[in-house]
Amino acid sequence: MSTLLRGLGDGTAPTRSRHRADPYRLAAPCQPCYTGEMGRCGMPRDPAKGLTALLAAVAVPPAVCLLLLPIRAILSDTNAVLILMLVVAAVAALGNRGAAALTALSAAVWYIYFFTTPYESFTRFNNSDDIVTAVLLLVVGLAVSHLARRYSRERTIATTLQRGLLPRVLPDTSTVRVACRYVPAEAEVGGDWFDVIPLPGHRTALVVGDVVGHSLRSAVTMGRLRTAVRNFSTLDLPPDELLARLDDVVIQMDAEAGTCEDGTAGTTCLYAIYDPVSRICAMARAGHFPPAIVDPDGRAELLDLPAGPPLGIGGLRFEAVERKLPEDTQVVLYTDGLVEDRHRDVEAGLKLLCDTLSGAGMDPEGTCQTVLDAVRPARPVDDVALLVARTRAFPHDRIAEWDIPAFPAAVPALRAEVFATLADWNLGETAFATELILSELVTNAIRYGAPPVHLRLLRGTSLVVEVSDGSSTSPHLRYAAAMDEGGRGIYLVSQLAERWGTRFTPTGKIVWAEQPAPSVPVAPVLASVA
């Protein structure tokens, strides 16, 4: 079970054989050592909290009894017992088993002393009803303390699990500046989640979702869906296709659960991909609230994005929308707990969100805090996930492109031009590997693809080689035998590059390979979990 939870908490896709390493894998969140820090009940041990519970068990019941003495004449035995039972439940909610039992016993003893034979005798009982009442108070108090402690324990486990499944450290990226917040509800734990996923070509995927229900099962389902999204993102699917596959996953999860549990149909998700080269953001949503866009001049609006059906319905299609964003635009993704409130209409919450974003400034961290302070309900009944991303444009002087004639004789001249470009970028040490990679990819595109053939180099935190052509035939990795005449090209690419893969486009495909490149490091962004 612990292995399963660690796998869910990591939220990363399994490494495929064609990738030597994944530099974008999220850093594992710092987990406490549970040896000696967890009690037998599974709850964290806190000496200060335990001492507080014991002091409350000793002092609170007699203090309450003393406060009730002035109104003893108008207070029935039933009311006194109920008040003391509430005291027992309040102390039990602190989570200390010994303190809960001690509180119940203390409440019974002080009830006998103050309300049956006041002051002159502690051991003489003239009324058997008083004895029965005291015993009932003890028994019911112990039961109430057990139920209160059990509820507190389950909520603590659910909250700990949910926070462990959310990312603690967001990946380094130079294309977007991201800030995140997650705030659990006061009463119950929900299934809200977010994620930031680096994609090939210096693109970034932004994800926010909301699982139906408020329970431990919702938190586990959230972890499974987050892992599924990360796995599908390795296939480099457009947003609408990724949501269609995620919809199949939810349907399968409901089928596995059967009729013994409530289904997860109705779960919502918003998936967006930002390309810093074209500055185009492609988005699709499954029953989720639309994202808010804040222009560099401060004007905020809700994007007109087709809603799509919630996940788990099946049979309906999702529609993606592309929008070109100016540099320094803020994309704000959120869950329903931020704008929904029993005391205001949803439309009023969305308007308040846009008004707040218009004056929040352009710093993602400041925007997150300002939005939570102004828009989040005073007593939220649902948890809140908030993701703010400020876009950046890829520098034009770090992009090099060539249109390649469809004959192999053009490759040698292309290698010379690429070598000169790498020298201008101070990447001469990568020239040998880059020439071998582009020679193989370009030759494959000319021989087995279709025109037009295009080469693009992107120099950022890594060096990306992209070769596109008009064919949808994808190369695959082969392990050639000793006597085979071919089949070693893609294997050579996989050994020289850190990652490589294929991305399909409406007009064909792009085969890409990625290598490390010296660059200015980007500071990691921390996700704040309140």
Side-chain angles (χ1 to χ4, degrees):
M1 182 64 180
S2 61
T3 304
L4 173 62
L5 293 182
R6 285 197 298 269
L8 287 174
D10 184 63
T12 56
T15 303
R16 294 180 289 178
S17 60
R18 65 179 182 179
H19 295 162
R20 287 197 337 179
D22 187 359
Y24 291 120
R25 184 180 180 186
L26 284 178
C30 179
Q31 298 290 343
C33 177
Y34 290 102
T35 304
E37 294 184 9
M38 302 291 289
R40 293 183 179 180
C41 64
M43 297 182 63
R45 288 177 176 172
D46 188 345
K49 186 176 179 180
L51 181 60
T52 301
L54 291 176
L55 292 177
V58 174
V60 172
V64 172
C65 290
L66 288 173
L67 293 175
L68 295 178
L69 278 181
I71 58 173
R72 180 68 183 92
I74 60 174
L75 191 68
S76 66
D77 292 340
T78 301
N79 291 334
V81 169
L82 289 176
I83 293 173
L84 290 174
M85 286 173 57
L86 291 176
V87 173
V88 173
V91 176
L94 296 176
N96 188 292
R97 177 181 301 176
L102 181 60
T103 305
L105 179 62
S106 175
V109 170
W110 288 112
Y111 171 81
I112 294 173
Y113 181 75
F114 283 105
F115 296 102
T116 57
T117 55
Y119 310 120
E120 62 268 5
S121 174
F122 188 76
T123 58
R124 281 177 293 174
F125 300 98
N126 300 320
N127 189 347
S128 60
D129 292 341
D130 294 338
I131 301 176
V132 173
T133 301
V135 172
L136 288 176
L137 173 60
L138 176 61
V139 173
V140 175
L142 289 173
V144 170
S145 67
H146 174 73
L147 293 176
R149 184 181 168 277
R150 181 179 178 181
Y151 170 79
S152 176
R153 176 176 178 269
E154 290 181 352
R155 188 178 188 278
T156 301
I157 293 174
T159 303
T160 303
L161 174 63
Q162 186 179 38
R163 292 182 176 181
L165 295 175
L166 290 173
R168 294 296 181 90
V169 179
L170 301 183
D172 298 351
T173 174
S174 60
T175 59
V176 292
R177 183 182 176 190
V178 182
C180 305
R181 293 289 189 277
Y182 170 74
V183 184
E186 293 184 356
E188 296 177 297
V189 175
D192 291 12
W193 55 283
F194 60 87
D195 211 344
V196 179
I197 308 172
L199 298 178
H202 299 290
R203 296 170 303 137
T204 303
L206 308 172
V207 196
V208 164
D210 186 1
V211 176
V212 174
H214 297 82
S215 62
L216 180 62
R217 180 173 178 269
S218 298
V220 173
T221 302
M222 174 269 293
R224 296 177 64 183
L225 292 182
R226 177 173 173 254
T227 303
V229 169
R230 295 194 67 86
N231 288 335
F232 289 144
S233 68
T234 61
L235 302 177
D236 220 338
L237 299 172
D240 52 340
E241 293 185 22
L242 185 141
L243 290 181
R245 299 203 181 194
L246 194 62
D247 183 52
D248 294 337
V249 170
V250 174
I251 293 175
Q252 183 179 2
M253 291 169 58
D254 286 343
E256 293 174 353
T259 58
C260 59
E261 297 181 359
D262 296 334
T264 56
T267 297
T268 66
C269 183
L270 173 61
Y271 188 83
I273 298 177
Y274 174 68
D275 185 348
V277 178
S278 62
R279 292 187 284 112
I280 290 178
C281 187
M283 294 169 275
R285 60 180 176 133
H288 205 83
F289 280 98
I293 305 295
V294 185
D295 293 335
D297 58 4
R299 184 175 60 89
E301 62 174 335
L302 295 178
L303 184 66
D304 185 12
L305 181 63
L311 299 174
I313 302 299
L316 300 175
R317 64 184 296 269
F318 303 95
E319 184 176 350
V321 170
E322 293 184 350
R323 176 161 175 174
K324 192 168 185 177
L325 303 177
E327 189 174 6
D328 292 330
T329 298
Q330 287 194 136
V331 182
V332 181
L333 284 64
Y334 53 93
T335 55
D336 56 357
L338 179 66
V339 295
E340 285 187 345
D341 187 10
R342 65 183 65 180
H343 302 297
R344 73 183 178 205
D345 186 71
V346 174
E347 295 298 329
L350 293 174
K351 184 179 184 304
L352 178 59
L353 173 63
C354 290
D355 295 341
T356 303
L357 290 173
S358 298
M362 299 306 297
D363 176 51
E365 284 290 339
T367 299
C368 278
Q369 196 58 48
T370 300
V371 168
L372 285 181
D373 294 341
V375 184
R376 181 171 174 257
R379 298 187 62 83
V381 296
D382 197 2
D383 45 351
V384 175
L386 177 63
L387 175 62
V388 178
R390 183 178 177 181
T391 65
R392 297 172 178 171
F394 203 86
H396 292 289
D397 58 349
R398 300 298 178 91
I399 304 174
E401 300 182 89
W402 294 268
D403 290 322
I404 305 172
F407 52 89
V411 177
L414 177 65
R415 285 200 298 261
E417 295 183 25
V418 170
F419 182 82
T421 300
L422 295 178
D424 293 339
W425 287 348
N426 297 320
L427 294 178
E429 67 273 16
T430 65
F432 177 74
T434 303
E435 287 185 20
L436 291 177
I437 290 173
L438 72 89
S439 295
E440 178 60 33
L441 298 184
V442 170
T443 303
N444 280 351
I446 293 175
R447 289 181 176 178
Y448 309 112
V453 180
H454 187 79
L455 170 64
R456 184 171 73 174
L457 299 182
L458 302 176
R459 192 261 195 265
T461 54
S462 61
L463 177 63
V464 180
V465 179
E466 297 182 342
V467 178
S468 62
D469 66 86
S471 171
S472 59
T473 303
S474 175
H476 63 280
L477 181 63
R478 291 178 54 193
Y479 295 94
M483 302 303 294
D484 290 346
E485 295 183 0
R488 296 178 177 84
I490 295 299
Y491 176 76
L492 180 64
V493 171
S494 68
Q495 295 301 304
L496 294 175
E498 284 200 337
R499 303 196 306 168
W500 76 277
T502 303
R503 179 167 76 251
F504 293 97
T505 65
T507 59
K509 68 176 182 297
I510 298 175
V511 184
W512 56 270
E514 196 170 283
Q515 304 174 77
S519 60
V520 179
V522 180
V525 184
L526 299 181
S528 175
V529 180

